[in-house]
Amino acid sequence: MSAELRGPAGIASGADGSGEKSGHIYTVLSPMAGVTDVSFREICHEMGASLTVTEMISAKAVTYGNKNTFKLCTLSDAEHPVSLQLFGSEPDVVAQAAQILSSRVPFDMLDINMGCPMPKIVNNGEGSALMKDPALAGRIVKAAVGAIDKPVTAKIRSGFDADHVNAVEVALAVCEAGAEMITVHGRTREQYYEGKADWGVIARVKEAVGDGAVVIGNGDIDGIDAARKMIGETGCDGIAVGRAARGNPWIFREIKEGRVYRPSPEEKKEMIMKHLKMTIAEKGEYIGIREMRKHIGWYTAGLPDSAKLRVRINQAESFDEMADLIRLGI
Ligand SMILES: Cc1cc2nc3c(=O)[nH]c(=O)nc-3n(C[C@H](O)[C@H](O)[C@H](O)COP(=O)(O)O)c2cc1C
């Protein structure tokens, strides 16, 4: 393990053990397939996220030159620093993909997915299947570190199932292999996204790796209070927000400013319009409209009459139709 903390670009090292430097918490938009596309990442970055992460990208598909996969790697100039997340199970394939991408995409760091619970991924030995094989997890990180000139990081779970909670062992293996940052989602693969995240495992990982790697705590952060609590309880260097950012990119502003922030209906309307325009510019009207249906569902959850609005939003077929509903309905 490297004795000295080599924090990824721009990371507040948290070497003081607080994770909160000058009152500023390091925040990551946690990768979410189908959610953290370039538009949403840019919005979260503007709202104060310290780092954003792409949706997970198949290392194998990169080496096959799959066009759709390269689309997922599109980054905007306005969103740096951004981490690109790869999933794969073969060290040489991950290394090759990392090399190909680093010559084509200006990402700032590379994250290896060791947490995806979906059967089609796990049955291929990828994602959270790597939690079952710490030595392989280490070899994958080592191969990526050797292939590119950018920081390599890993995102792990607490373990594969309740009988195998081995995040510390996996963290030490990837740290030894050169991972500079480790995000720990305090749930096992068996739990998927259910139940309460176990923050105790995050504390144990931070204690074990010490200054050898930056540790980002993940699971159930829904605002400034939870962010402070996680840092206080675990000593992690920063936090990653997943589901609570959907429809609420202001969560990064809240955590950055250190006080609860509730956007007004007018602000929500403006944000949805902006998000809609960015998504259509990125993906075209047909796909953009369809992708925005779920985002608008998240933005409007809990607003008066939002269920009725969502039914109409889900039927909208054009930008004009959707924009009218947003203008009049919120
Ligand atoms: C819809 C969805 C997609 C996700 N996709 C990814 C992914 O591509 N890569 C990854 O490492 N984690 C993925 N995750 C896990 C999240 O990054 C995060 O670890 C998890 O949701 C726990 O954080 P939270 O409690 O703040 O949501 C996904 C989660 C959700 C809900």
Side-chain angles (χ1 to χ4, degrees):
M1 198 189 311
S2 62
E4 190 189 324
L5 180 69
R6 294 164 296 141
I11 196 165
S13 76
D16 60 353
S18 74
E20 189 169 353
K21 289 211 151 171
S22 349
H24 194 121
I25 296 176
Y26 188 84
T27 54
V28 182
L29 169 65
S30 213
M32 285 179 283
V35 182
T36 58
D37 60 9
V38 65
S39 305
F40 191 59
R41 294 197 307 268
E42 200 174 318
I43 285 171
C44 290
H45 181 78
E46 270 176 39
M47 285 294 120
S50 316
L51 176 72
T52 61
V53 189
T54 65
E55 304 170 69
M56 63 178 197
I57 288 153
S58 160
K60 213 175 246 174
V62 170
T63 64
Y64 292 159
N66 183 298
K67 279 209 182 82
N68 287 334
T69 301
F70 283 110
K71 273 193 202 148
L72 288 176
C73 304
T74 309
L75 310 180
S76 101
D77 290 343
E79 64 167 327
H80 293 278
V82 57
S83 174
L84 194 145
Q85 190 187 62
L86 279 181
F87 69 94
S89 63
E90 296 158 272
D92 52 336
V93 173
V94 171
Q96 199 191 338
Q99 228 159 23
I100 294 170
L101 289 169
S102 90
S103 67
R104 295 175 57 153
V105 183
F107 61 88
D108 300 292
M109 45 186 123
L110 184 82
D111 191 44
I112 310 292
N113 180 314
M114 303 187 179
C116 179
M118 305 310 283
K120 69 173 183 192
I121 303 288
V122 175
N123 294 339
N124 273 341
E126 300 165 328
S128 59
L130 294 176
M131 295 301 299
K132 293 201 267 191
D133 192 343
L136 176 60
R139 286 203 300 280
I140 290 174
V141 167
K142 195 166 185 180
V145 169
I148 58 169
D149 208 12
K150 293 179 180 179
V152 174
T153 67
K155 182 158 176 285
I156 68 175
R157 281 185 175 250
S158 52
F160 195 78
D161 56 35
D163 294 331
H164 302 90
V165 174
N166 63 344
V168 167
E169 194 189 344
V170 176
L172 288 172
V174 298
C175 189
E176 180 74 40
E180 297 191 29
M181 180 168 94
I182 304 165
T183 301
V184 186
H185 176 194
R187 286 188 181 84
T188 61
R189 184 270 174 165
E190 189 180 42
Q191 287 177 291
Y192 277 62
Y193 303 104
E194 302 295 320
K196 207 164 167 274
D198 170 12
W199 291 1
V201 80
I202 300 167
R204 293 198 293 280
V205 167
K206 184 62 208 170
E207 200 184 339
V209 303
D211 285 350
V214 170
V215 173
I216 302 294
N218 173 235
D220 300 338
I221 299 295
D222 59 2
I224 179 64
D225 293 344
R228 284 206 176 112
K229 192 160 180 265
M230 182 184 269
I231 285 172
E233 284 180 13
T234 70
C236 64
D237 302 295
I239 56 104
V241 183
R243 290 162 297 174
R246 298 185 300 195
N248 184 23
W250 296 275
I251 191 168
F252 295 106
R253 180 169 174 176
E254 168 168 326
I255 297 174
K256 190 171 183 179
E257 292 182 351
R259 59 191 159 89
V260 173
Y261 187 84
R262 300 263 180 271
S264 66
E266 207 46 48
E267 272 176 292
K268 279 201 172 179
K269 217 182 260 193
E270 272 173 32
M271 181 65 84
I272 295 171
M273 286 304 293
K274 175 176 166 155
H275 196 164
L276 174 62
K277 286 179 190 163
M278 287 168 80
T279 304
I280 289 179
E282 181 196 341
K283 300 182 178 180
E285 188 169 16
Y286 185 86
I287 295 177
I289 292 292
R290 278 152 186 80
E291 295 239 328
M292 280 306 291
R293 289 175 181 166
K294 64 186 177 209
H295 285 284
I296 295 174
W298 291 319
Y299 278 115
T300 58
L303 290 180
D305 281 336
S306 62
K308 272 191 225 152
L309 174 69
R310 281 197 293 277
V311 170
R312 299 184 66 193
I313 287 283
N314 288 341
Q315 291 161 350
E317 291 285 346
S318 69
F319 169 79
D320 290 340
E321 240 181 292
M322 207 171 236
D324 279 347
L325 286 168
I326 295 160
R327 270 194 282 269
L328 303 171
I330 296 173

